[in-house]
């Protein structure tokens, strides 16, 4: 979905209602931030003083995972992939189990603020800095891509008609996030994420109700439409070369969660705000399980939208990310449009605010060596700098031509998180010492070799590599660390 395409969407008469909804939501966010951000110190900003109830974190993390990209990409993707995304979602839950019982105990035992400081304790400073840099690059791109969706839709619905340029919209949205997170940090975000998750789930259910009502469908009618749809296929077992093959999706989904949650400072920083390891584990399993029915609802919405378009004789946009915005803004009426605006705003802000906070935390602790005592003024300037870089990345992504941002993000994750997967796997599964100064070179070389392997497989035996690129990448990193490890050094116990 490009800015040109969305700006060509029909401007609805309820554009003022969309703007009022957006403004009301932002004002409520500021009120909540004021109530929860009274402490302006690093202990609150980084880890919310490790005093957050587990159920609060679980609700907030659910909204953080369902980004604005998911909101538009998953329903639209049913056109090309049916409901096969559920294979990946089932793999996600397997990954949550691994994170719960393997990584969380490690992080709590070491009392980490940044999870990448484990790499320093296990390998050395080069590995530590390399891991942090790969996270910063990946998170900056991924979170900016997710925020891009809401800025684009707001631009086409509200700001283009009144003459405000797109760059001003981007800067304004990022500035709003900076304002309500710059004091309380994670202590504020934990609670604003709860609000955003509740808004997201409520609007999704309201949109399902409105679309089914316009189609004259009861609950049983919705089930019949989904069951009889040509897009309802979930499992693919008959083509092992396809990127949609079940075992590829399941295993890839598990490892995507391991790296995007378990090895991601953003997600783990929220878990580390829980009062104890046991509460953090309860949070992770609850949140991971809740992810399954929520994504099933998104896919159901997608099938209903396709059915609606077919019933009404509508031609859907070629780019799947444009399907939901197109129907919501031009066909389904003002109630759906308001719900859509509220839902995608909540989803996008939930992901972006925590990403900016975790990026600030990583820069402060991993790159600059700051701790939770003192340096608040310096931290505020770093937070502002991260916000500027974030806005520039959103504008850069706006210049890219992508049919599905969700697939683009997962593909980027396969390359940038692969070395992190290899580092942590080697550290946890072996006690071998490594040559720490070589790790930056290995981390850069691994994605290049993985891409070359994927290209060779497709052009020799016709095997198309999907998200399992992450496994190739991590495996090459692991093997490289083993080949180059320090054979004269002593075993390392961390």
């Amino acid at each position: 979905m490009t800015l040109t395409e969305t700006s060509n969407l029909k401007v609805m008469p309820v554009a003022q209602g969309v703007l009022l909804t957006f403004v009301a939501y932002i004002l409520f966010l500021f009120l909540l931030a004021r109530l929860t951000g009274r402490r302006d110190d690093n202990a609150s900003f980084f880890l919310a003083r490790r005093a957050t109830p587990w159920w609060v974190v679980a609700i907030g993390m659910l909204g953080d995972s369902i980004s604005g990209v998911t909101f538009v990409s998953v329903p639209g993707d049913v056109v090309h992939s049916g409901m096969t995304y559920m294979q990946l979602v089932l793999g996600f839950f397997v990954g949550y189990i691994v994170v719960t019982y393997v990584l969380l105990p490690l992080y709590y035992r070491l009392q980490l603020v940044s999870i990448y400081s484990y790499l320093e304790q296990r390998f050395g400073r080069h590995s530590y800095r390399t891991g942090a840099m790969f996270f910063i690059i990946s998170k900056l791109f991924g979170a900016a891509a997710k925020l891009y969706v809401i800025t684009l839709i707001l631009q086409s619905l509200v700001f283009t008609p009144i003459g405000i340029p797109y760059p001003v919209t981007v800067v304004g949205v990022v500035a709003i996030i900076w304002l309500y997170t710059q004091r309380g940090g994670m202590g504020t975000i934990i609670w604003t994420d709860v609000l955003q998750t509740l808004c997201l789930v409520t609007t999704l259910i309201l949109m399902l109700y409105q679309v089914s009502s316009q189609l004259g469908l009861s609950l049983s009618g919705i089930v019949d439409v989904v069951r009889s749809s040509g897009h309802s296929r979930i499992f693919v077992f008959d083509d092992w070369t396809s990127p949609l093959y079940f075992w590829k999706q399941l295993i890839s989904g598990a490892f995507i969660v391991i790296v995007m949650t378990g090895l991601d400072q953003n997600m783990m920083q929220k878990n580390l705000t829980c009062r104890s390891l046991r509460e953090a584990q309860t949070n992770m399993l609850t949140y991971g399980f809740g992810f399954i029915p929520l994504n099933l609802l998104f896919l159901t919405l997608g099938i209903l939208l396709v059915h609606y378009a077919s019933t009404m004789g509508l031609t859907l946009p070629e780019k799947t990310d444009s399907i939901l915005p197109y129907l919501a803004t031009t066909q389904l009426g003002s109630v759906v449009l308001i719900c859509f605006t509220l839902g995608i705003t909540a989803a996008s802000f939930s992901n972006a605010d925590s990403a900016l906070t975790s990026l600030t935390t990583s820069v402060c602790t991993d790159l600059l060596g700051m701790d939770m005592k003192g340096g608040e003024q310096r931290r505020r300037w770093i937070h502002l700098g991260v916000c500027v870089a974030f806005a520039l990345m959103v504008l850069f992504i706006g210049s890219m031509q992508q049919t599905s941002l969700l697939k683009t993000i997962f593909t980027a994750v396969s390359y940038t998180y692969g070395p992190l997967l290899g580092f942590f796997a080697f550290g946890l599964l072996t006690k071998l010492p490594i040559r720490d100064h070589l790790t930056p070179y290995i981390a850069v070389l691994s994605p290049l070799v993985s891409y070359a392997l994927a290209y060779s497989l497709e052009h020799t035996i016709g095997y198309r590599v999907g998200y399992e690129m992450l496994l190739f990448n991590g495996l090459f990193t692991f093997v490289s660390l083993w080949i180059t490890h320090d054979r004269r050094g002593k075993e390392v116990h961390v």
Side-chain angles (χ1 to χ4, degrees):
M1 182 168 59
T2 65
L3 182 59
T4 302
E5 290 173 330
T6 52
S7 63
N8 289 331
L9 295 175
K10 179 182 176 182
V11 178
M12 300 291 289
V14 293
Q16 290 182 344
V18 172
L19 182 59
L20 288 175
T21 302
F22 178 75
V23 171
Y25 180 80
I26 297 305
L27 291 176
F28 200 88
L29 272 184
F30 275 107
L31 175 62
L32 188 57
R34 182 175 179 80
L35 294 174
T36 59
R38 294 176 179 176
R39 291 181 178 269
D40 185 20
D41 54 37
N42 288 347
S44 295
F45 189 92
F46 293 154
L47 292 179
R49 295 183 172 270
R50 299 187 189 270
T52 310
W54 70 265
W55 57 270
V56 173
V57 182
I59 295 173
M61 287 183 67
L62 196 60
D64 195 356
S65 297
I66 303 294
S67 67
V69 173
T70 303
F71 208 91
V72 298
S73 286
V74 172
D77 195 50
V78 299
V79 172
H80 297 314
S81 303
M83 299 181 75
T84 58
Y85 183 69
M86 285 304 299
Q87 298 177 128
L88 206 64
V89 172
L90 294 175
F92 290 165
F93 189 69
V94 176
Y96 290 126
I97 295 174
V98 175
V99 173
T100 299
Y101 294 108
V102 177
L103 293 176
L104 277 177
L106 173 69
Y107 299 152
Y108 267 84
R109 176 169 60 84
L110 298 177
Q111 289 291 292
L112 302 179
V113 175
S114 167
I115 63 173
Y116 307 114
S117 57
Y118 163 75
L119 298 177
E120 182 177 31
Q121 297 182 42
R122 177 61 178 85
F123 299 130
R125 196 154 190 80
H126 287 92
S127 300
Y128 174 35
R129 292 288 180 85
T130 300
M133 283 303 301
F134 267 73
F135 161 74
I136 290 171
I137 294 170
S138 184
K139 178 56 65 176
L140 188 63
F141 175 83
K146 294 172 183 179
L147 187 64
Y148 163 71
V149 174
I150 179 59
T151 58
L152 195 62
I153 292 171
L154 287 172
Q155 181 69 25
S156 63
L157 290 178
V158 179
F159 298 120
T160 293
I162 61 178
I164 296 178
Y166 179 63
V168 175
T169 301
V170 171
V171 172
V173 169
V174 174
I176 289 170
I177 297 172
W178 171 73
L179 284 172
Y180 77 79
T181 61
Q182 51 105 10
R183 283 182 59 86
M186 198 56 67
T188 292
I189 286 168
I190 291 295
W191 291 99
T192 57
D193 278 358
V194 172
L195 167 66
Q196 290 158 341
T197 299
L198 294 177
C199 287
L200 174 106
V201 175
T202 301
T203 53
L204 174 59
I205 293 173
L206 286 174
M207 288 180 68
L208 281 166
Y209 174 76
Q210 287 293 327
V211 175
S212 60
S213 295
Q214 293 192 34
L215 290 169
L217 298 174
S218 62
L219 182 59
S220 60
I222 294 174
V223 174
D224 290 338
V225 168
V226 172
R227 184 184 301 160
S228 61
S229 172
H231 303 286
S232 62
R233 185 182 187 185
I234 294 178
F235 301 108
V236 177
F237 289 104
D238 55 353
D239 183 8
W240 71 275
T241 65
S242 169
L244 300 178
Y245 183 58
F246 173 78
W247 291 109
K248 285 186 186 180
Q249 292 276 293
L250 186 76
I251 295 172
S252 297
F255 278 94
I256 284 173
V257 162
I258 290 171
V259 298
M260 289 191 71
T261 299
L263 305 184
D264 184 282
Q265 175 65 24
N266 177 24
M267 302 303 284
M268 285 297 97
Q269 195 167 340
K270 293 183 178 181
N271 277 272
L272 294 175
T273 67
C274 290
R275 297 165 179 166
S276 66
L277 171 60
R278 185 171 182 177
E279 287 200 4
Q281 290 175 317
T282 304
N283 151 62
M284 181 61 66
L285 292 176
T286 304
Y287 141 72
F289 181 78
F291 206 60
I292 298 174
L294 195 56
N295 277 281
L296 189 60
L297 289 178
F298 274 113
L299 291 168
T300 300
L301 176 61
I303 287 181
L304 290 180
L305 292 176
V306 172
H307 181 69
Y308 178 89
S310 175
T311 302
M312 300 298 173
L314 301 174
T315 301
L316 293 175
E318 292 185 6
K319 294 187 176 181
T320 57
D321 279 357
S322 300
I323 292 175
L324 179 55
Y326 164 70
L327 292 176
T329 55
T330 65
Q331 303 294 328
L332 296 173
S334 59
V335 174
V336 172
L337 178 57
I338 296 298
C339 289
F340 171 71
T341 303
L342 182 60
I344 200 170
T345 301
S348 298
F349 272 63
S350 177
N351 186 268
D353 56 17
S354 60
L356 286 171
T357 302
S358 63
L359 285 167
T360 301
T361 301
S362 186
V363 172
C364 289
T365 60
D366 299 329
L367 302 187
L368 301 179
M370 294 174 58
D371 57 28
M372 289 191 286
K373 296 180 180 180
E376 282 78 11
Q377 187 64 34
R378 188 183 185 192
R379 186 209 71 219
R380 293 189 202 102
W381 281 108
I382 293 169
H383 187 50
L384 178 60
V386 169
C387 289
V388 171
F390 194 70
L392 293 175
M393 181 62 76
V394 173
L395 293 173
F396 169 73
I397 291 170
S399 65
M400 299 171 61
Q401 301 292 318
Q402 296 295 328
T403 58
S404 174
L405 277 173
L406 187 64
K407 290 183 177 180
T408 301
I409 291 169
F410 281 158
T411 300
V413 163
S414 299
Y415 286 103
T416 55
Y417 277 85
L420 284 173
L421 176 62
F423 286 157
F424 274 84
F426 193 87
L428 292 170
L429 299 178
T430 78
K431 295 181 176 60
L432 297 174
I434 68 167
R435 301 181 189 277
D436 181 51
H437 65 283
L438 295 179
T439 54
Y441 305 102
I442 292 173
V444 172
L445 188 61
S446 292
L448 299 177
V449 172
S450 299
Y451 176 80
L453 176 62
Y455 182 86
S456 299
L457 287 173
E458 182 172 356
H459 289 81
T460 53
I461 63 174
Y463 180 91
R464 290 170 291 166
V465 177
Y467 301 138
E468 69 271 24
M469 172 66 73
L470 175 66
L471 305 183
F472 294 164
N473 201 346
L475 181 61
F476 180 84
T477 302
F478 187 100
V479 171
S480 298
L481 291 173
W482 182 81
I483 292 173
T484 62
H485 79 270
D486 185 0
R487 288 169 172 77
R488 297 182 179 180
K490 297 180 180 180
E491 289 189 350
V492 181
H493 299 267
V494 175

